[in-house]
Amino acid sequence: MSHVRTPQPKSRPEWLKSVRGALIATVAVCVVLLAFAWPTATSRVENLPVTVVGLQEQVDAVTQKMPEYLLELHPMASREDVVNGIKSREVYGGIVLGEQPEILTASAASPVASQMLTGVRTNMQRGIDQQVIAGMQQALQKMASGGAAPGGAGAPGQNGGAASDGAASGGAASGGAAQAQRGAGAQQAPGAPGATPPTVKVTDVVPLSDDDPRGSGLAIAGLPLTMGGMIGGVLISLLVTGVRKHLLAIALYGVLGGLALAGILQGVFGILQANYFANAAATGLGIAATASVIVGLNSLIGRPGIAVGAVLTMFIGNPISALTQPKEFILPPFGEIGQWLVPGLSGTVLRDLSYFPEANIAGQIWALIGWLALGVILTVLGHHKNESALRSAEG
């Protein structure tokens, strides 16, 4: 009697699993690197919204030596209008032209933009100094040519054309006295000999606090807030069951987490300013919005939902949130898109609460509430989906 031996499937060598694991890890770390480095590597320093006060000829004289598309200029009638535009976060700064040129910045809005406008001030001052020097040279040449009058013994080049004999000296002295009398009560022109060139003043309208003078704390704070919302969503998804318990956990996490994180950022490090409870409410709303979306995706599609929520928050929302640079510098349209994802919304609200009380943040608040509501809806839908699947299985 013969026995038929069933062929056993060949198992893959163990070393193939090691190779697969290494390849997956390599791809993952490359994706992380690209997600965080891409916005910086592709950023372009251009189209920075700035207001300007002055005549069109003055504006043209200032901007003709600047790189093209560096600034997006918005004309204003007065310096006061520029200040109001900065405080309401419509622009990052302003240029005031005229007898007393001035650069207005707001380091609290963006240290990068403030530094760039300070560089514009340097170029303006250099241009003014060059104009003054050129004017002085032309005036000296005219004085030299006028001093060499016909019949005079003086030669050009000797102290502005002064004559060597007594008669010519007397005439030159009389002419100089008359000129001094004419200009005694008048302001010297910028190009006149002895004129002092105007100094371009730099005024920081909304400076950063002494606890965070370079703004690095406010920029870095976005990452722990993003991770906080993500970690909260993951833990609630894994440790809590039931739709009501999910929603209760999200609400409690938003309140307690907001109070704790705002206490650390404001009370310990001094990164946040102004009203503590307003900052705590904004922080709590941000982390609750992120957590609710992750919990909702997990309820709807299972464990892959946690990964989708983490990718959306950490690897998409955070890199294009514009917390470290103006949104205009990020490759369009991603800079604008990032302002409506949770990390960008939270960062804008906290910055405005701390430094720009006149800015309108109603749109950002409602957008965060919308993300929170979206997570709640997904959680409820996922719960009903699971209940329907259980009834079908029992039936």
Side-chain angles (χ1 to χ4, degrees):
M1 183 177 181
S2 61
H3 297 279
V4 178
R5 181 175 297 176
T6 304
Q8 298 294 327
K10 294 182 179 181
S11 60
R12 295 182 178 180
E14 293 295 327
W15 63 269
L16 286 179
K17 296 181 180 179
S18 300
V19 173
R20 183 180 63 179
L23 290 175
I24 293 175
T26 301
V27 172
V29 74
C30 288
V31 170
V32 171
L33 175 62
L34 289 173
F36 282 92
W38 173 80
T40 302
T42 59
S43 64
R44 299 178 295 183
V45 182
E46 61 182 25
N47 296 326
L48 185 72
V50 173
T51 56
V52 61
V53 177
L55 301 176
Q56 187 60 45
E57 307 87 68
Q58 296 173 326
V59 176
D60 294 340
V62 171
T63 57
Q64 66 181 356
K65 295 183 179 181
M66 293 183 186
E68 193 176 7
Y69 305 119
L70 178 66
L71 302 178
E72 181 182 291
L73 296 177
H74 300 269
M76 288 286 183
S78 65
R79 183 184 185 277
E80 184 180 358
D81 294 335
V82 177
V83 172
N84 292 334
I86 293 174
K87 290 184 176 180
S88 60
R89 295 217 61 190
E90 297 175 8
V91 292
Y92 288 92
I95 302 174
V96 180
L97 303 173
E99 294 183 358
Q100 181 54 60
E102 184 179 11
I103 298 291
L104 302 177
T105 67
S107 57
S110 171
V112 174
S114 179
Q115 184 178 4
M116 192 184 81
L117 289 173
T118 303
V120 171
R121 178 262 175 199
T122 303
N123 293 333
M124 285 179 58
Q125 187 66 60
R126 185 183 298 113
I128 291 174
D129 294 342
Q130 290 175 351
Q131 289 179 355
V132 170
I133 293 173
M136 292 178 65
Q137 290 175 344
Q138 292 177 0
L140 289 173
Q141 289 175 359
K142 290 181 179 179
M143 291 173 62
S145 61
Q158 295 180 350
N159 295 327
S164 59
D165 60 352
S169 298
S174 301
Q179 183 180 8
Q181 290 176 355
R182 288 194 301 268
Q187 185 179 6
Q188 284 182 312
T196 302
T199 301
V200 182
K201 181 182 177 182
V202 177
T203 302
D204 196 345
V205 178
V206 187
L208 288 159
S209 69
D210 294 335
D211 295 320
D212 188 21
R214 290 182 290 185
S216 56
L218 191 59
I220 296 174
L223 183 59
L225 291 179
T226 301
M227 293 184 63
M230 186 179 67
I231 292 172
V234 172
L235 292 178
I236 292 173
S237 298
L238 298 178
L239 301 179
V240 181
T241 57
V243 61
R244 293 182 180 178
K245 293 179 181 179
H246 274 157
L247 299 180
L248 178 61
I250 292 171
L252 289 175
Y253 179 60
V255 174
L256 299 178
L259 291 171
L261 291 176
I264 294 173
L265 292 173
Q266 186 164 352
V268 178
F269 297 116
I271 294 174
L272 300 180
Q273 309 298 316
N275 187 275
Y276 162 72
F277 291 103
N279 290 328
T283 303
L285 180 59
I287 62 175
T290 300
S292 70
V293 171
I294 292 177
V295 172
L297 290 172
N298 176 70
S299 300
L300 190 64
I301 62 177
R303 292 293 182 263
I306 296 178
V308 173
V311 169
L312 178 64
T313 302
M314 179 63 69
F315 302 130
I316 297 178
N318 190 67
I320 60 176
S321 61
L323 294 177
T324 59
Q325 61 181 328
K327 65 178 182 179
E328 289 79 10
F329 291 177
I330 300 176
L331 188 68
F334 300 104
E336 192 64 37
I337 292 174
Q339 298 307 293
W340 298 103
L341 299 178
V342 176
L345 291 167
S346 299
T348 299
V349 170
L350 290 175
R351 188 183 296 274
D352 289 356
L353 286 174
S354 294
Y355 293 104
F356 298 91
E358 298 179 18
N360 185 5
I361 58 173
Q364 285 79 9
I365 296 294
W366 281 110
L368 284 172
I369 293 174
W371 280 105
L372 178 63
L374 175 63
V376 171
I377 293 172
L378 293 176
T379 302
V380 174
L381 290 177
H383 173 72
H384 287 299
K385 176 186 174 183
N386 294 333
E387 281 191 342
S388 300
L390 287 175
R391 291 195 192 98
S392 300
E394 291 175 357

